[in-house]
Amino acid sequence: MILLSRRALLAVAAVTDIAMHARPEPVSSKALAARHALPPRHLETLLQAMVRANILKGVRGPRGGYELARERRRITMGEIVRVAINSDVMDADTAGSSKLLNEVVAPVVAGASHSLLAALDAVTVADLCTRADQARVFEEAGGAVDFTI
């Protein structure tokens, strides 16, 4: 059972993908969407939320796209998930006025959410890139070569 929304999972995958492919040029949203079999516009709001949160940096122009705003090891899964969750439009009517919901169910779920996010805070984008390399996730796509000088 997956406890995160598809949007949160997609956000983590997109940031990890960008971390792996943004050298030497930024990753276009079109290329990112193609690798994840999504329409390009589907990712734009999510990517812009990541830019506002200083996780990604948007680069304008014909060779523009997205790259990490900070080092891989300084961005956690928990941070990405929080941004994705907070960028969703919340429905004000979902809270309700049920005493059982507000005093029993919601605090238990809040505690579980806190524990989940704490666990995700221990995983960095660098960790995810290492796992992706080990699993050879992008090997069939020609594999990106990463040169660091």
Side-chain angles (χ1 to χ4, degrees):
M1 176 168 75
I2 296 179
L3 300 176
L4 296 175
S5 68
R6 175 139 173 85
R7 181 175 174 84
L9 295 173
L10 182 58
V12 172
V15 172
T16 303
D17 186 302
I18 290 167
M20 296 182 74
H21 291 99
R23 289 185 186 154
E25 294 181 358
V27 175
S28 71
S29 59
K30 184 177 180 179
L32 186 62
R35 278 194 293 273
H36 297 278
L38 296 167
R41 292 246 182 229
H42 186 77
L43 288 174
E44 280 300 323
T45 58
L46 188 58
L47 295 172
Q48 286 302 311
M50 296 296 147
V51 169
R52 286 189 299 275
N54 196 35
I55 292 172
L56 296 178
K57 180 171 53 170
V59 178
R60 294 180 185 221
R63 296 188 189 269
Y66 296 92
E67 58 190 17
L68 295 182
R70 293 177 275 147
E71 296 174 349
R72 294 174 178 188
R73 63 187 174 89
R74 300 208 184 273
I75 302 170
T76 68
M77 254 182 101
E79 182 180 6
I80 298 166
V81 168
R82 283 181 188 90
V83 171
I85 290 170
N86 291 334
S87 71
D88 284 338
V89 177
M90 298 302 218
D91 185 3
D93 294 330
T94 59
S97 59
S98 164
K99 190 171 182 177
L100 176 63
L101 174 65
N102 294 333
E103 294 181 21
V104 178
V105 176
V108 170
V109 171
S113 297
H114 179 73
S115 296
L116 173 62
L117 289 172
L120 295 178
D121 283 336
V123 180
T124 67
V125 170
D127 298 330
L128 294 172
C129 289
T130 300
R131 287 178 175 223
D133 283 339
Q134 290 171 347
R136 300 177 182 201
V137 172
F138 294 111
E139 189 171 279
E140 65 277 351
V145 177
D146 184 10
F147 294 101
T148 304
I149 299 175

